[in-house]
Amino acid sequence: ESARRPTTHSYTPFGGTIGFGQYDAPVSVVITSAANPKKGFQVVEVTYDPLVRSPKTGCPEAGTSYTFTAHITTNGEGDVTYHWERSPNDEDPPIGDNLTYKAAGTKTVTWTWLIKPGLPNPDRWVAIYIDEPNMELFPKVFFNTSCE
């Protein structure tokens, strides 16, 4: 007795059938997802204060300082390793540190970027990257370094 093709098919929008093997046998797929894939200790939020520019206007030859303050919040006890990302990075090494949390809470970190006048792109950004435990770049702070 020769094998017969099934009489029911799933069809694609282009008229072909969906199935497996010579006879387009149905394929079942089960997809499961964890309710919370990031269980355990992690940084849950990073917020920033408004940046502080010194001097407030103009571009002195020695450069203008831009000071950034970030608040790093965790969901529990543990160690955090972070660094400041920036663009353009001017080929400087990342500036960062380690923080130890005894319980869930927020710690504040500050970094000052000295930018000399005359750089080609005045549009820049700064953000906190959590190396451990998240391996995650948090929201960016965009700013302009024009002398006006």
Side-chain angles (χ1 to χ4, degrees), residues 13 15 45 74 77 80 91-92 107 109 112 121 124 127 140:
E45 182 179 49
T74 65
E77 178 181 356
V80 171
E91 299 182 15
D92 292 333
K107 291 189 181 272
V109 297
T112 300
N121 184 2
R124 297 176 179 255
K140 298 173 182 175

Side-chain angles (χ1 to χ4, degrees), residues 46-52 66-71 84-88 111 113 115 122-128 137-145:
V46 174
T47 60
Y48 304 94
D49 288 349
L51 73 88
V52 176
Y66 296 85
T67 301
F68 302 89
T69 301
H71 307 282
W84 292 90
E85 286 279 329
R86 60 223 180 263
S87 177
W111 174 63
W113 190 1
I115 299 175
D123 295 319
R124 297 176 179 255
W125 61 260
V126 167
I128 289 284
L137 182 66
F138 278 81
K140 298 173 182 175
V141 175
F142 293 91
F143 66 105
N144 184 287
T145 61

Side-chain angles (χ1 to χ4, degrees), residues 61-138:
E61 192 173 314
T64 302
S65 295
Y66 296 85
T67 301
F68 302 89
T69 301
H71 307 282
I72 302 172
T73 303
T74 65
N75 64 354
E77 178 181 356
D79 294 320
V80 171
T81 304
Y82 75 92
H83 70 268
W84 292 90
E85 286 279 329
R86 60 223 180 263
S87 177
N89 69 10
D90 297 333
E91 299 182 15
D92 292 333
I95 305 299
D97 205 352
N98 298 312
L99 302 170
T100 298
Y101 291 77
K102 301 285 186 200
T106 302
K107 291 189 181 272
T108 300
V109 297
T110 302
W111 174 63
T112 300
W113 190 1
L114 178 66
I115 299 175
K116 303 277 182 155
L119 294 174
N121 184 2
D123 295 319
R124 297 176 179 255
W125 61 260
V126 167
I128 289 284
Y129 185 90
I130 301 299
D131 297 292
E132 293 293 332
N134 295 47
M135 294 177 41
E136 180 178 353
L137 182 66
F138 278 81

